[in-house]
Amino acid sequence: MTTLSFTLDPQNVISAIDPRLFGSFIEHLGRAVYTGVYEPEHPLADEDGFRQDVIDLVKGLHVTTVRYPGGNYVSGFNWRDSIGPKEERPVRLDYAWISKETNQFGIEEFARWCEKTGVEPMIAVNLGTGTPQEAGYFAEYCNHPGGTTLSDLRIQHGRREPYNFRLWCLGNEMDGPWQTGQMNAREYAHKARETAKILRCIDPKAQLVACGSSSSAMTTFPEWDRVVLEELYDYVDFISCHQYYENEGSETDFLASFVNMDNFIETIVSTANYAKAVRRSNKEMMISFDEWNVWYLRGDPWDAPMKDPANRFREAPPLLEDRYSFLDALVMGGLLCSLLNHADRVKMASLAQLVNVIAPIFTEPGKGALCQTLYWPFEMVASVSDGVVLRHQLPVPTFSSKYGDARSVQSSVVYNDARGEIYIFAVNCDFTTAFELDINLPAFSDCRLKEHKVLRSDDLYAKNTFDDPNRVHPEIIDYPHGSLRENTLMLSPLTWNRITLSVARA
């Protein structure tokens, strides 16, 4: 066992945590909506057709925002199809996921679902086949109080008060060749700028997110981001980041995924700072990491429906339904620490996605819902992280990975002064070495160990199933004493940990 000695100082703050760091994402893709959040025939469906078991799990996950309706889907989405009486809504072909969209779940249903789950909506506009004018009409319908044709149409449809959507994404992954309406950076920047001008005219309080590169692996990265930021710096509040990770055969490389996320964020921060200097701006550009997760992309999963003609253009076909392992949960823990450790610039993030499609929550049509392994690291962080992130330095050894040298322990520390608690989040990526924590807290008195919650398994590939839904589940480690100094705090090999300390200022 190796001892790690480090000091925590409540004055050494990276940043306060924006609650929107713990957002998620629902796209009209596969069963994310239909038989995911919306299933009127389900025995637990409420009067609006929403699955109450899913609502309960979303609340338990402590999700704060939800991005909607896409994703790739939004680049062919006509918002007018998703409003008004359901019996009058058109059925359309979805170009992104080769599916059939009934539009039975639309803007009004999403808004009601957000109200019931207590999340803030994050709305994406179509800048693929759509135009700046149509984006403006969409915002007018949603947010203008009344007295115009479109706002009065909303009132006629039963929503008297405006939705007051504040977060707007200006398109999605517009540099991607898979995207309907793909364009180059200057074409996108021009279209997004004109859209931003219209949206701000309609609602000066709107917060706008520009499309960044679709991932750090894109050939357009980071030149796309530079061009877009130079053109849009004065018009938007956030630049987006998207990145997914998968086990490509090396468990050590997979565990080191957080190194790639760190590098991605720091590159975008540098690019944004350059654009700030070019624009002679006083504004700090923030990051919306509004797609991130573990996603097994091998085999081109979006092509699967097209390979068998019988599968083309079905309603809500099961797509991208990854079933996650304990190893995947460890990787997620490391990524969560990266987001926290960059809380000074990453102010929003969206775990993609929320239900069924590469998601922490999985459902069976007409039956039950379960928490995948990914549910637990997210919940363990989101449920308590409403304070400030503290700088800290763990003197840990490193290991080699395809991303470069990686720390054996990836960690983050959150301090909540009002509650008098410190939370230490840590994933031990070492296969054999346990680490003892020797924590120095000179600014505090009466430091006590309140709880040590751990996610562990003797099988890296263990999964939660409907037959065994709690196979991977957090457990509490019992310690014989309350005093911090009377206990040995240990990070066992290949574990995800949340240690809660009760502290009082000295």
Side-chain angles (χ1 to χ4, degrees):
M1 184 165 61
T2 302
T3 300
L4 305 177
S5 296
F6 63 105
T7 299
L8 296 178
D9 182 348
Q11 302 301 318
N12 198 0
V13 174
I14 295 175
S15 175
I17 300 168
D18 191 316
R20 296 176 297 182
L21 195 65
F22 305 108
S24 193
F25 180 24
I26 289 176
E27 181 174 358
H28 282 259
L29 158 58
R31 296 193 306 113
V33 172
Y34 305 108
T35 71
V37 300
Y38 181 75
E39 189 177 356
E41 299 79 18
H42 194 277
L44 295 179
D46 66 11
E47 68 278 5
D48 291 313
F50 307 146
R51 287 186 58 150
Q52 186 60 52
D53 55 347
V54 173
I55 288 177
D56 291 342
L57 290 177
V58 171
K59 288 181 176 180
L61 194 57
H62 298 273
V63 168
T64 54
T65 67
V66 171
R67 184 168 171 249
Y68 174 88
N72 296 349
Y73 173 79
V74 78
S75 292
F77 170 66
N78 186 335
W79 66 271
R80 298 170 190 263
D81 292 345
S82 72
I83 63 173
K86 291 185 179 183
E87 62 274 12
E88 297 177 10
R89 296 181 191 176
V91 176
R92 301 287 192 195
L93 298 183
D94 167 29
Y95 311 141
W97 303 110
I98 320 301
S99 304
K100 185 186 293 182
E101 176 54 54
T102 66
N103 286 298
Q104 292 303 288
F105 185 97
I107 298 303
E108 171 63 20
E109 290 73 30
F110 176 65
R112 288 190 192 181
W113 184 84
C114 287
E115 290 163 359
K116 291 186 177 186
T117 52
V119 303
E120 180 181 5
M122 184 181 192
I123 306 298
V125 298
N126 178 358
L127 290 191
T129 61
T131 66
Q133 180 69 86
E134 274 302 317
Y137 287 154
F138 184 18
E140 181 182 343
Y141 175 89
C142 293
N143 282 10
H144 194 67
T148 67
T149 297
L150 289 172
S151 58
D152 286 348
L153 181 61
R154 182 197 69 244
I155 294 170
Q156 178 185 325
H157 289 159
R159 174 69 67 153
R160 177 159 295 279
E161 298 299 320
Y163 293 109
N164 289 323
F165 297 143
R166 290 287 175 251
L167 300 177
W168 296 86
C169 299
L170 303 177
N172 175 76
E173 295 185 353
M174 297 311 305
D175 62 336
W178 57 84
Q179 200 72 212
T180 304
Q182 178 198 10
M183 58 191 86
N184 66 41
R186 295 205 179 276
E187 291 170 334
Y188 168 74
H190 174 78
K191 194 172 188 179
R193 183 188 67 219
E194 299 310 304
T195 303
K197 287 158 61 176
I198 292 173
L199 293 181
R200 290 223 191 273
C201 175
I202 295 167
D203 185 358
K205 296 180 180 178
Q207 293 188 291
L208 307 181
V209 184
C211 285
S213 301
S214 296
S215 84
S216 63
M218 295 291 291
T219 57
T220 52
F221 172 79
E223 181 67 7
W224 168 282
D225 307 84
R226 179 192 66 80
V227 172
V228 166
L229 283 168
E230 286 186 30
E231 291 289 335
L232 291 178
Y233 204 91
D234 299 326
Y235 295 91
V236 300
D237 305 285
F238 301 88
I239 183 77
S240 73
C241 290
H242 292 182
Q243 192 78 12
Y244 296 96
Y245 300 91
E246 65 181 310
N247 183 356
E248 297 178 329
S250 168
E251 293 164 348
T252 54
D253 283 346
F254 189 34
L255 286 165
S257 295
F258 62 86
V259 177
N260 175 270
M261 180 179 270
D262 287 341
N263 293 337
F264 189 4
I265 292 170
E266 287 156 19
T267 300
I268 294 299
V269 167
S270 298
T271 306
N273 289 346
Y274 171 80
K276 176 183 177 181
V278 169
R279 300 298 299 177
R280 306 297 192 265
S281 176
N282 293 321
K283 180 175 75 175
E284 197 101 281
M285 183 62 62
M286 299 302 174
I287 293 173
S288 174
F289 214 121
D290 47 42
E291 287 191 32
W292 70 277
N293 203 349
V294 174
W295 180 9
Y296 287 89
L297 285 155
R298 286 172 294 173
D300 295 326
W302 47 80
D303 286 344
M306 294 185 283
K307 290 174 181 174
D308 181 353
N311 288 333
R312 291 169 58 85
F313 299 116
R314 294 166 53 198
E315 292 182 15
L319 297 175
L320 312 185
E321 297 192 354
D322 285 2
R323 304 305 296 272
Y324 290 108
S325 69
F326 171 64
L327 177 59
D328 298 324
L330 291 179
V331 170
M332 171 173 274
L335 299 174
L336 284 161
C337 288
S338 289
L339 293 174
L340 285 172
N341 291 338
H342 292 92
D344 56 332
R345 298 299 288 269
V346 182
K347 296 299 181 182
M348 300 195 296
S350 302
L351 176 66
Q353 293 190 21
L354 186 56
V355 185
N356 289 332
V357 175
I358 54 171
I361 299 169
F362 193 82
T363 72
E364 288 185 314
K367 297 180 182 179
L370 65 77
C371 300
Q372 295 223 63
T373 60
L374 295 186
Y375 188 97
W376 296 113
F378 191 99
E379 184 276 336
M380 288 165 68
V381 175
S383 60
V384 297
S385 293
D386 54 352
V388 298
V389 184
L390 300 183
R391 288 185 180 86
H392 69 292
Q393 291 186 335
L394 283 180
V396 297
T398 61
F399 62 94
S400 298
S401 80
K402 68 177 182 180
Y403 303 119
D405 288 344
R407 298 176 297 281
S408 294
V409 176
Q410 163 73 332
S411 58
S412 186
V413 178
V414 172
Y415 171 53
N416 186 295
D417 183 61
R419 286 200 296 268
E421 292 182 344
I422 290 175
Y423 309 97
I424 300 169
F425 305 102
V427 56
N428 183 354
C429 300
D430 198 288
F431 282 71
T432 57
T433 303
F435 295 96
E436 179 186 351
L437 299 183
D438 177 23
I439 310 168
N440 302 306
L441 299 162
F444 298 100
S445 63
D446 191 27
C447 304
R448 306 186 69 79
L449 174 61
K450 186 172 182 180
E451 181 186 74
H452 184 174
K453 185 174 282 191
V454 63
L455 201 65
R456 57 188 173 186
S457 175
D458 57 3
D459 180 0
L460 276 177
Y461 296 93
K463 299 179 181 181
N464 291 342
T465 66
F466 285 101
D467 291 332
D468 191 0
N470 294 314
R471 185 175 181 190
V472 178
H473 189 278
E475 56 186 277
I476 306 296
I477 296 179
D478 291 325
Y479 287 93
H481 307 288
S483 171
L484 177 61
R485 290 298 166 205
E486 294 181 275
N487 294 291
T488 300
L489 289 179
M490 186 174 67
L491 306 178
S492 298
L494 296 176
T495 56
W496 164 250
N497 302 264
R498 185 184 77 191
I499 296 169
T500 305
L501 306 178
S502 177
V503 296
R505 289 292 188 102

